[in-house]
Short mmCIF file of all heavy atoms in Angstrom, two decimals:
data_model
loop_
_atom_site.label_atom_id
_atom_site.label_comp_id
_atom_site.label_asym_id
_atom_site.label_seq_id
_atom_site.Cartn_x
_atom_site.Cartn_y
_atom_site.Cartn_z
N GLU A 1 -14.46 2.31 -1.24
CA GLU A 1 -13.88 2.35 -2.58
C GLU A 1 -12.82 3.43 -2.79
O GLU A 1 -11.78 3.19 -3.38
CB GLU A 1 -15.00 2.53 -3.62
CG GLU A 1 -14.53 2.41 -5.03
CD GLU A 1 -15.67 2.50 -6.02
OE1 GLU A 1 -16.78 2.11 -5.69
OE2 GLU A 1 -15.41 2.99 -7.14
N ASN A 2 -13.05 4.64 -2.32
CA ASN A 2 -12.13 5.74 -2.58
C ASN A 2 -11.07 5.94 -1.51
O ASN A 2 -10.28 6.87 -1.58
CB ASN A 2 -12.92 7.04 -2.76
CG ASN A 2 -13.81 6.98 -3.98
OD1 ASN A 2 -13.47 6.34 -4.97
ND2 ASN A 2 -14.97 7.61 -3.90
N ALA A 3 -11.05 5.07 -0.50
CA ALA A 3 -10.06 5.20 0.58
C ALA A 3 -8.66 4.90 0.04
O ALA A 3 -8.47 3.99 -0.74
CB ALA A 3 -10.40 4.26 1.73
N ILE A 4 -7.69 5.71 0.47
CA ILE A 4 -6.30 5.48 0.05
C ILE A 4 -5.46 4.93 1.20
O ILE A 4 -4.34 4.47 1.00
CB ILE A 4 -5.65 6.76 -0.52
CG1 ILE A 4 -5.61 7.87 0.54
CG2 ILE A 4 -6.36 7.23 -1.76
CD1 ILE A 4 -4.22 8.25 0.88
N GLY A 5 -6.01 4.98 2.42
CA GLY A 5 -5.28 4.49 3.57
C GLY A 5 -6.13 4.57 4.83
O GLY A 5 -7.31 4.92 4.76
N PHE A 6 -5.51 4.24 5.96
CA PHE A 6 -6.25 4.30 7.23
C PHE A 6 -5.31 4.59 8.39
O PHE A 6 -4.10 4.41 8.30
CB PHE A 6 -7.03 3.00 7.47
CG PHE A 6 -6.18 1.74 7.45
CD1 PHE A 6 -5.49 1.32 8.58
CD2 PHE A 6 -6.09 0.97 6.31
CE1 PHE A 6 -4.73 0.17 8.57
CE2 PHE A 6 -5.34 -0.20 6.28
CZ PHE A 6 -4.65 -0.60 7.42
N ILE A 7 -5.91 5.03 9.49
CA ILE A 7 -5.22 5.23 10.75
C ILE A 7 -5.49 3.98 11.58
O ILE A 7 -6.61 3.48 11.60
CB ILE A 7 -5.75 6.48 11.50
CG1 ILE A 7 -5.72 7.71 10.59
CG2 ILE A 7 -4.99 6.72 12.79
CD1 ILE A 7 -4.37 8.02 9.99
N TYR A 8 -4.44 3.46 12.23
CA TYR A 8 -4.61 2.20 12.94
C TYR A 8 -4.07 2.28 14.37
O TYR A 8 -3.26 3.14 14.71
CB TYR A 8 -3.91 1.06 12.19
CG TYR A 8 -2.42 1.23 12.07
CD1 TYR A 8 -1.56 0.83 13.10
CD2 TYR A 8 -1.84 1.78 10.94
CE1 TYR A 8 -0.19 0.99 13.00
CE2 TYR A 8 -0.47 1.93 10.83
CZ TYR A 8 0.35 1.53 11.86
OH TYR A 8 1.70 1.69 11.76
N LEU A 9 -4.54 1.35 15.18
CA LEU A 9 -4.04 1.13 16.53
C LEU A 9 -3.72 -0.35 16.63
O LEU A 9 -4.57 -1.19 16.32
CB LEU A 9 -5.09 1.50 17.58
CG LEU A 9 -4.82 1.02 19.01
CD1 LEU A 9 -3.62 1.71 19.61
CD2 LEU A 9 -6.04 1.22 19.89
N ILE A 10 -2.50 -0.67 17.03
CA ILE A 10 -2.11 -2.06 17.24
C ILE A 10 -1.84 -2.25 18.72
O ILE A 10 -1.11 -1.47 19.34
CB ILE A 10 -0.85 -2.43 16.41
CG1 ILE A 10 -1.16 -2.31 14.92
CG2 ILE A 10 -0.40 -3.85 16.75
CD1 ILE A 10 0.02 -2.62 14.01
N GLU A 11 -2.46 -3.28 19.28
CA GLU A 11 -2.22 -3.65 20.68
C GLU A 11 -1.38 -4.93 20.69
O GLU A 11 -1.67 -5.87 19.95
CB GLU A 11 -3.54 -3.91 21.40
CG GLU A 11 -4.41 -2.68 21.53
CD GLU A 11 -5.75 -2.99 22.18
OE1 GLU A 11 -6.18 -4.16 22.17
OE2 GLU A 11 -6.35 -2.05 22.69
N PHE A 12 -0.38 -4.96 21.54
CA PHE A 12 0.50 -6.11 21.64
C PHE A 12 0.20 -6.89 22.92
O PHE A 12 -0.39 -6.35 23.86
CB PHE A 12 1.96 -5.66 21.61
CG PHE A 12 2.33 -4.97 20.33
CD1 PHE A 12 2.30 -3.58 20.25
CD2 PHE A 12 2.66 -5.69 19.20
CE1 PHE A 12 2.61 -2.93 19.06
CE2 PHE A 12 2.97 -5.05 18.01
CZ PHE A 12 2.95 -3.67 17.94
N VAL A 13 0.59 -8.14 22.96
CA VAL A 13 0.30 -9.01 24.10
C VAL A 13 0.90 -8.48 25.39
O VAL A 13 0.32 -8.65 26.46
CB VAL A 13 0.83 -10.45 23.85
CG1 VAL A 13 0.18 -11.43 24.78
CG2 VAL A 13 0.61 -10.89 22.43
N ASP A 14 2.03 -7.79 25.31
CA ASP A 14 2.69 -7.26 26.50
C ASP A 14 2.07 -5.96 27.02
O ASP A 14 2.57 -5.35 27.95
CB ASP A 14 4.19 -7.06 26.26
CG ASP A 14 4.49 -6.06 25.16
OD1 ASP A 14 3.55 -5.46 24.60
OD2 ASP A 14 5.69 -5.87 24.84
N GLY A 15 0.97 -5.51 26.39
CA GLY A 15 0.26 -4.31 26.85
C GLY A 15 0.67 -3.03 26.14
O GLY A 15 0.05 -1.99 26.33
N MET A 16 1.70 -3.08 25.32
CA MET A 16 2.13 -1.90 24.58
C MET A 16 1.19 -1.66 23.40
O MET A 16 0.50 -2.57 22.93
CB MET A 16 3.57 -2.07 24.08
CG MET A 16 4.59 -2.22 25.20
SD MET A 16 4.65 -0.81 26.30
CE MET A 16 5.49 0.39 25.29
N LYS A 17 1.18 -0.40 22.91
CA LYS A 17 0.32 0.00 21.80
C LYS A 17 1.11 0.84 20.82
O LYS A 17 2.13 1.43 21.17
CB LYS A 17 -0.86 0.83 22.31
CG LYS A 17 -1.76 0.13 23.29
CD LYS A 17 -2.82 1.08 23.80
CE LYS A 17 -3.69 0.42 24.86
NZ LYS A 17 -4.67 1.36 25.40
N TYR A 18 0.58 0.90 19.59
CA TYR A 18 1.21 1.74 18.56
C TYR A 18 0.12 2.29 17.65
O TYR A 18 -0.76 1.55 17.20
CB TYR A 18 2.22 0.92 17.74
CG TYR A 18 3.00 1.77 16.76
CD1 TYR A 18 4.03 2.58 17.19
CD2 TYR A 18 2.67 1.78 15.41
CE1 TYR A 18 4.74 3.37 16.30
CE2 TYR A 18 3.38 2.57 14.52
CZ TYR A 18 4.41 3.36 14.96
OH TYR A 18 5.10 4.15 14.09
N ILE A 19 0.18 3.59 17.37
CA ILE A 19 -0.76 4.25 16.47
C ILE A 19 0.02 4.73 15.26
O ILE A 19 1.12 5.27 15.39
CB ILE A 19 -1.47 5.44 17.15
CG1 ILE A 19 -2.37 4.94 18.28
CG2 ILE A 19 -2.28 6.25 16.13
CD1 ILE A 19 -3.05 6.04 19.06
N GLY A 20 -0.55 4.54 14.07
CA GLY A 20 0.12 4.98 12.85
C GLY A 20 -0.83 5.09 11.68
O GLY A 20 -2.04 4.98 11.84
N LYS A 21 -0.25 5.28 10.50
CA LYS A 21 -1.05 5.35 9.28
C LYS A 21 -0.51 4.33 8.29
O LYS A 21 0.65 3.95 8.34
CB LYS A 21 -0.98 6.75 8.66
CG LYS A 21 0.40 7.14 8.15
CD LYS A 21 0.38 8.53 7.54
CE LYS A 21 1.79 8.92 7.07
NZ LYS A 21 1.80 10.24 6.46
N LYS A 22 -1.38 3.85 7.41
CA LYS A 22 -0.96 2.87 6.41
C LYS A 22 -1.64 3.18 5.09
O LYS A 22 -2.86 3.36 5.03
CB LYS A 22 -1.33 1.46 6.87
CG LYS A 22 -0.87 0.38 5.92
CD LYS A 22 0.64 0.35 5.83
CE LYS A 22 1.11 -0.69 4.82
NZ LYS A 22 2.47 -0.47 4.38
N ASN A 23 -0.85 3.25 4.03
CA ASN A 23 -1.38 3.40 2.67
C ASN A 23 -1.87 2.05 2.19
O ASN A 23 -1.22 1.03 2.43
CB ASN A 23 -0.30 3.92 1.72
CG ASN A 23 0.00 5.37 1.95
OD1 ASN A 23 -0.90 6.21 1.92
ND2 ASN A 23 1.26 5.69 2.18
N LEU A 24 -2.97 2.04 1.49
CA LEU A 24 -3.51 0.80 0.94
C LEU A 24 -2.84 0.40 -0.37
O LEU A 24 -2.83 -0.76 -0.74
CB LEU A 24 -5.02 0.94 0.71
CG LEU A 24 -5.85 1.05 1.98
CD1 LEU A 24 -7.27 1.47 1.65
CD2 LEU A 24 -5.84 -0.26 2.73
N TYR A 25 -2.28 1.40 -1.06
CA TYR A 25 -1.68 1.15 -2.37
C TYR A 25 -0.31 1.80 -2.45
O TYR A 25 -0.02 2.77 -1.76
CB TYR A 25 -2.56 1.71 -3.49
CG TYR A 25 -3.94 1.14 -3.51
CD1 TYR A 25 -5.01 1.81 -2.91
CD2 TYR A 25 -4.20 -0.09 -4.11
CE1 TYR A 25 -6.28 1.27 -2.91
CE2 TYR A 25 -5.46 -0.63 -4.11
CZ TYR A 25 -6.50 0.06 -3.51
OH TYR A 25 -7.75 -0.48 -3.52
N SER A 26 0.52 1.26 -3.32
CA SER A 26 1.80 1.89 -3.62
C SER A 26 1.92 1.94 -5.14
O SER A 26 1.29 1.16 -5.85
CB SER A 26 2.96 1.08 -3.02
OG SER A 26 3.01 -0.20 -3.61
N THR A 27 2.72 2.88 -5.62
CA THR A 27 2.96 2.96 -7.06
C THR A 27 4.43 2.66 -7.32
O THR A 27 5.30 3.06 -6.55
CB THR A 27 2.61 4.35 -7.64
OG1 THR A 27 3.33 5.34 -6.91
CG2 THR A 27 1.13 4.63 -7.55
N ARG A 28 4.65 1.93 -8.39
CA ARG A 28 6.01 1.56 -8.79
C ARG A 28 6.18 1.89 -10.26
O ARG A 28 5.25 1.80 -11.05
CB ARG A 28 6.24 0.06 -8.59
CG ARG A 28 6.23 -0.35 -7.15
CD ARG A 28 6.44 -1.83 -6.95
NE ARG A 28 7.52 -2.34 -7.80
CZ ARG A 28 7.73 -3.63 -8.01
NH1 ARG A 28 6.95 -4.52 -7.46
NH2 ARG A 28 8.73 -4.04 -8.77
N ILE A 29 7.41 2.27 -10.62
CA ILE A 29 7.74 2.52 -12.02
C ILE A 29 8.51 1.30 -12.52
O ILE A 29 9.55 0.95 -11.98
CB ILE A 29 8.57 3.80 -12.16
CG1 ILE A 29 7.76 5.00 -11.68
CG2 ILE A 29 9.02 3.99 -13.60
CD1 ILE A 29 8.53 6.30 -11.62
N MET A 30 7.94 0.65 -13.53
CA MET A 30 8.53 -0.58 -14.05
C MET A 30 8.73 -0.46 -15.55
O MET A 30 7.92 0.15 -16.24
CB MET A 30 7.61 -1.76 -13.74
CG MET A 30 7.31 -1.92 -12.25
SD MET A 30 6.11 -3.20 -11.92
CE MET A 30 7.12 -4.64 -12.16
N LYS A 31 9.79 -1.06 -16.05
CA LYS A 31 10.04 -1.08 -17.48
C LYS A 31 8.87 -1.73 -18.19
O LYS A 31 8.33 -2.74 -17.73
CB LYS A 31 11.32 -1.88 -17.77
CG LYS A 31 12.32 -1.15 -18.59
CD LYS A 31 13.55 -2.00 -18.82
CE LYS A 31 14.62 -1.11 -19.40
NZ LYS A 31 15.85 -1.84 -19.61
N SER A 32 8.46 -1.17 -19.30
CA SER A 32 7.34 -1.73 -20.05
C SER A 32 7.70 -3.10 -20.60
O SER A 32 8.86 -3.42 -20.82
CB SER A 32 6.96 -0.80 -21.20
OG SER A 32 6.44 0.39 -20.69
N LEU A 33 6.68 -3.89 -20.84
CA LEU A 33 6.88 -5.22 -21.41
C LEU A 33 7.37 -5.11 -22.85
O LEU A 33 7.02 -4.17 -23.57
CB LEU A 33 5.57 -6.00 -21.37
CG LEU A 33 4.96 -6.22 -19.98
CD1 LEU A 33 3.58 -6.85 -20.10
CD2 LEU A 33 5.88 -7.10 -19.14
N LYS A 34 8.16 -6.07 -23.28
CA LYS A 34 8.69 -6.06 -24.64
C LYS A 34 7.58 -6.16 -25.68
O LYS A 34 7.73 -5.69 -26.80
CB LYS A 34 9.69 -7.19 -24.83
CG LYS A 34 10.99 -6.96 -24.10
CD LYS A 34 12.00 -8.06 -24.37
CE LYS A 34 13.29 -7.77 -23.64
NZ LYS A 34 14.29 -8.81 -23.90
N SER A 35 6.46 -6.76 -25.30
CA SER A 35 5.35 -6.91 -26.23
C SER A 35 4.68 -5.57 -26.53
O SER A 35 3.91 -5.47 -27.48
CB SER A 35 4.31 -7.88 -25.66
OG SER A 35 3.73 -7.33 -24.49
N GLY A 36 4.95 -4.56 -25.70
CA GLY A 36 4.34 -3.26 -25.89
C GLY A 36 3.02 -3.10 -25.16
O GLY A 36 2.46 -2.02 -25.09
N LYS A 37 2.52 -4.19 -24.61
CA LYS A 37 1.27 -4.14 -23.85
C LYS A 37 1.54 -3.57 -22.46
O LYS A 37 2.62 -3.74 -21.90
CB LYS A 37 0.66 -5.54 -23.72
CG LYS A 37 0.20 -6.11 -25.03
CD LYS A 37 -0.43 -7.46 -24.82
CE LYS A 37 -0.87 -8.05 -26.15
NZ LYS A 37 -1.46 -9.39 -25.97
N ALA A 38 0.55 -2.92 -21.92
CA ALA A 38 0.68 -2.36 -20.58
C ALA A 38 0.59 -3.48 -19.54
O ALA A 38 -0.13 -4.46 -19.73
CB ALA A 38 -0.42 -1.33 -20.33
N ARG A 39 1.32 -3.33 -18.46
CA ARG A 39 1.25 -4.29 -17.36
C ARG A 39 -0.12 -4.18 -16.70
O ARG A 39 -0.77 -3.14 -16.77
CB ARG A 39 2.31 -3.97 -16.32
CG ARG A 39 3.72 -4.19 -16.80
CD ARG A 39 4.71 -3.78 -15.69
NE ARG A 39 6.06 -3.96 -16.13
CZ ARG A 39 6.73 -5.11 -16.05
NH1 ARG A 39 6.16 -6.16 -15.53
NH2 ARG A 39 7.97 -5.19 -16.48
N PRO A 40 -0.54 -5.23 -16.01
CA PRO A 40 -1.79 -5.13 -15.24
C PRO A 40 -1.69 -4.01 -14.21
O PRO A 40 -0.62 -3.80 -13.63
CB PRO A 40 -1.90 -6.51 -14.56
CG PRO A 40 -1.03 -7.40 -15.37
CD PRO A 40 0.04 -6.56 -15.96
N ASN A 41 -2.75 -3.31 -13.96
CA ASN A 41 -2.85 -2.22 -12.98
C ASN A 41 -2.02 -1.00 -13.35
O ASN A 41 -1.70 -0.18 -12.50
CB ASN A 41 -2.45 -2.70 -11.58
CG ASN A 41 -3.31 -3.83 -11.10
OD1 ASN A 41 -4.50 -3.88 -11.38
ND2 ASN A 41 -2.71 -4.76 -10.39
N THR A 42 -1.68 -0.83 -14.64
CA THR A 42 -0.95 0.36 -15.07
C THR A 42 -1.90 1.55 -15.04
O THR A 42 -3.01 1.49 -15.58
CB THR A 42 -0.39 0.17 -16.49
OG1 THR A 42 0.56 -0.90 -16.46
CG2 THR A 42 0.30 1.43 -16.98
N ILE A 43 -1.46 2.63 -14.39
CA ILE A 43 -2.30 3.82 -14.30
C ILE A 43 -1.77 4.97 -15.16
O ILE A 43 -2.47 5.94 -15.38
CB ILE A 43 -2.47 4.28 -12.84
CG1 ILE A 43 -1.12 4.57 -12.19
CG2 ILE A 43 -3.26 3.27 -12.04
CD1 ILE A 43 -1.19 5.19 -10.82
N ASN A 44 -0.51 4.84 -15.63
CA ASN A 44 0.08 5.90 -16.43
C ASN A 44 1.35 5.37 -17.09
O ASN A 44 1.79 4.27 -16.81
CB ASN A 44 0.41 7.11 -15.54
CG ASN A 44 0.47 8.40 -16.31
OD1 ASN A 44 0.39 8.41 -17.54
ND2 ASN A 44 0.63 9.50 -15.60
#
């Protein structure tokens, strides 16, 4: 529940590998709706 991301290993068919990190969520700033209601998933 409280995880914000993870460390991963990707293996490719040709035998190469890649290690990295990935965020599970992103935040975007969007213009508010004309109705004045908050968009779904608004945190601030």
Side-chain angles (χ1 to χ4, degrees):
E1 187 176 331
N2 296 327
I4 61 117
F6 57 84
I7 307 304
Y8 63 84
L9 166 67
I10 297 179
E11 295 176 339
F12 298 96
V13 198
D14 62 2
M16 297 300 286
K17 299 176 184 177
Y18 186 77
I19 293 177
K21 66 180 179 179
K22 183 63 182 161
N23 287 305
L24 292 168
Y25 301 98
S26 63
T27 55
R28 293 179 44 194
I29 298 173
M30 303 174 76
K31 234 179 191 178
S32 293
L33 300 173
K34 288 183 179 181
S35 65
K37 294 182 181 178
R39 293 177 181 275
N41 301 324
T42 297
I43 58 173
N44 204 353

